[in-house]
Amino acid sequence: MRDRFRDLEGPLAVRKKDVVLMATVSSFESLSHPTRSELRQFAELFTPLFQASSDEAKRQAVAALSQCPTMPAAVALFIGNQPIEIAAPFLAASKAIADDTLITIARMQGAAHVKAIVSRDSLSPKVIDALVALRQTQPRPAVPAVPITESEAVPLSPASAESEAEALEEQRIANEEALRERILDLAGHLGRKDEDRLGLRTLTDIQEALLVRFARSREANHFATALADALSASRWLAERIMLDLSGQQLATTLTSLGMGFLDAVFVLERFYPHLAEQQHNATRAWMVLDALDPEECHERVEAWRRADRYTYKPEAAVTTALAETESHRFVRQAPVQRDMRVLGRRSR
């Protein structure tokens, strides 16, 4: 009887550790915004529990962690270096892996891990360049030896050897370009996604919350001020955008700034009541926003901002000029236009 319990002691211990591992992962998943202390504690607990658990528990834990938006860098590197049958879903789907971590894993592991990284929905140019460079440094497969007959053993002239070297170099460059295009295609960089805001002017959380709040209370003046701040433009441009009663210009601006679709619909319906009318199970505001192309909206708003910079003189510059003028006591000042008219009448 004792021997029987002794035989069961090992599997029961492993199963207990599996339960503890999954409980730890579930507890970490429930943290929407983990603090540094919580991240450090999870990193300290996870590694020993993971190593002591069964392969099935490891797969389940990695699949669950691949959906977490935040993760300690040490844990991400540890999971990424696991065997590919465990690390594959994490490398392909996790948004918590930094670019440097992905590059490190690709350099440390083999082709299977690189293939999982390439299958991600999006890759940064930094990772793509690293993968291309990694491909260039890999040794080329050996070509099987072919017996050379006496007829083939003909000495090459310097000109033919040089042309052959140029042909090999051109072939190498063509292969590298083809590989780069394939990686770009797989990474989805042939067309910008709507959620990819890299390099674009984007609303902060506070700016978006203020715009929605002022729209809810229909405070047009405050809304124009907040919109001008988000555009880094003049108040005049923001007011001109809002004076378009069709709502098209404001819809274009909100789309360019990356406001959430539902929030943008709400703002348009509050300021332009006719856009709240239902058409085909959707409001007119919904249809206006749905028909816009983000790239075209961005180009149009940038054109408005450039024109605003050319035509509008910032108030700060005017204030600075007045302050400098007042600081000099004997500076000669030109009379205002009204005084000029009075002087003209007297001279007659």
Side-chain angles (χ1 to χ4, degrees):
M1 183 68 69
R2 291 181 180 176
D3 294 340
R4 184 178 178 183
F5 280 114
R6 194 172 299 152
D7 294 338
L8 292 174
E9 189 174 330
L12 287 175
V14 173
R15 186 174 300 177
K16 182 179 179 180
K17 292 178 180 178
D18 291 350
V19 173
V20 176
L21 174 64
M22 296 309 300
T24 304
V25 171
S26 300
S27 177
F28 182 75
E29 280 185 297
S30 64
L31 301 175
S32 57
H33 299 287
T35 62
R36 292 184 178 178
S37 176
E38 291 170 338
L39 291 172
R40 185 178 66 254
Q41 292 176 2
F42 176 73
E44 294 173 354
L45 291 173
F46 178 78
T47 303
L49 289 175
F50 187 87
Q51 293 174 338
S53 301
S54 63
D55 290 343
E56 183 61 27
K58 291 178 181 179
R59 293 190 187 93
Q60 294 179 6
V62 169
L65 290 175
S66 64
Q67 306 301 320
C68 294
T70 307
M71 185 175 303
V75 175
L77 181 62
F78 174 76
I79 295 177
N81 284 318
Q82 296 300 309
I84 190 59
E85 58 271 11
I86 295 176
F90 184 78
L91 293 175
S94 176
K95 297 181 179 179
I97 312 180
D99 290 345
D100 292 336
T101 304
L102 285 175
I103 295 172
T104 302
I105 294 171
R107 290 173 177 171
M108 294 174 61
Q109 303 300 323
H113 287 70
V114 174
K115 188 178 295 184
I117 293 173
V118 170
S119 65
R120 294 172 66 87
D121 291 338
S122 61
L123 287 176
S124 66
K126 179 180 179 181
V127 176
I128 291 175
D129 292 338
L131 293 178
V132 173
L134 183 64
R135 172 71 176 181
Q136 296 174 5
T137 57
Q138 289 180 349
R140 297 185 179 181
V143 179
V146 179
I148 302 177
T149 61
E150 293 182 358
S151 60
E152 295 179 354
V154 179
L156 297 175
S157 63
S160 61
E162 184 178 353
S163 62
E164 184 178 356
E166 292 177 355
L168 290 175
E169 181 65 17
E170 292 177 359
Q171 183 64 31
R172 184 184 67 82
I173 295 175
N175 292 338
E176 292 175 1
E177 288 298 325
L179 176 63
R180 184 179 180 85
E181 291 297 329
R182 183 181 178 188
I183 292 177
L184 287 171
D185 191 9
L186 292 174
H189 279 266
L190 296 181
R192 180 189 293 273
K193 294 187 177 181
D194 292 344
E195 63 271 15
D196 184 6
R197 303 285 306 171
L198 184 62
L200 300 180
R201 182 174 299 276
T202 306
L203 290 173
T204 64
D205 294 339
I206 295 177
Q207 288 173 333
E208 186 166 355
L210 287 174
L211 291 175
V212 173
R213 176 183 177 180
F214 295 146
R216 181 179 293 109
S217 57
R218 289 195 174 95
E219 299 179 30
N221 289 331
H222 294 324
F223 186 92
T225 302
L227 184 62
D229 176 67
L231 290 170
S232 297
S234 67
R235 170 69 178 266
W236 175 83
L237 176 61
E239 291 177 348
R240 193 194 71 175
I241 291 172
M242 295 179 64
L243 285 175
D244 176 24
L245 299 182
S246 68
Q248 189 74 28
Q249 291 189 10
L250 183 57
T252 300
T253 305
L254 298 180
T255 302
S256 173
L257 292 174
M259 176 177 277
F261 187 84
L262 296 180
D263 288 339
V265 170
F266 176 78
V267 169
L268 291 177
E269 292 178 354
R270 295 297 292 177
F271 280 120
Y272 309 102
H274 67 280
L275 295 181
E277 299 175 1
Q278 293 283 336
Q279 286 187 351
H280 308 292
N281 298 326
T283 63
R284 295 178 62 183
W286 184 293
M287 298 175 66
V288 168
L289 288 167
D290 188 58
L292 293 176
D293 179 71
E295 289 292 337
E296 294 179 359
C297 292
H298 176 67
E299 294 176 0
R300 185 168 300 177
V301 172
E302 285 302 309
W304 294 345
R305 293 182 65 252
R306 285 194 298 271
D308 182 64
R309 287 197 300 268
Y310 296 151
T311 58
Y312 175 75
K313 188 174 183 180
E315 295 180 1
V318 177
T319 305
T320 304
L322 290 177
E324 292 177 354
T325 302
E326 292 176 358
S327 63
H328 297 80
R329 205 173 157 187
F330 300 104
V331 172
R332 182 178 180 181
Q333 300 181 2
V336 296
Q337 190 66 27
R338 185 177 57 186
D339 295 338
M340 291 292 291
R341 290 197 297 268
V342 173
L343 291 174
R345 293 194 193 100
R346 291 179 179 178
S347 63
R348 292 174 186 174

